[in-house]
Each structure stands twice: as C-alpha cells, then as structure tokens.
Amino acid sequence: MAFQIIWSDQAEIELDKIYEYYCENASVIVAQNLLQKDYFRTGKVIIDS
C-alpha cells in the first residue's frame, strides 16, 4: 500500500523560502538539487501491508 503526499500551502511556502535562501547563499544549481531531493524523497513513502 502506498500513500499520496499532499503538500500544504504552508509547506510549499517554506520550500520556496529554502529555494530562495540557497539561490542567494550558494547557487541556483545547489538550490535546485536540494529542492528536488526533498520533493522527490516524499514520493518514496511506501507502507508494507
């Protein structure tokens, strides 16, 4: 059985803030890599039944 992850509005706002922070303090590439890692990691939530 797998669950669908639904991002709340607040979670999306926080992800935007994280992205902007890393764009300003590291690079756009770093920001994109971190955001994709966090976002796509949620797609791996699987519960064995």
Side-chain angles (χ1 to χ4, degrees):
M1 170 174 34
F3 291 102
Q4 178 182 4
I5 303 298
I6 300 172
W7 290 89
S8 70
D9 291 339
Q10 184 63 37
E12 290 182 12
I13 290 168
E14 294 301 320
L15 284 174
D16 287 342
K17 288 179 185 178
I18 292 167
Y19 179 80
E20 290 173 15
Y21 173 84
Y22 279 99
C23 282
E24 293 173 7
N25 295 288
S27 71
V28 172
I29 302 231
V30 170
Q32 289 173 344
N33 287 340
L34 289 171
L35 196 62
Q36 287 176 352
K37 181 179 176 182
D38 287 341
Y39 183 79
F40 289 113
R41 181 176 52 188
T42 61
K44 297 180 183 176
V45 177
I46 298 174
I47 305 297
D48 293 329
S49 55

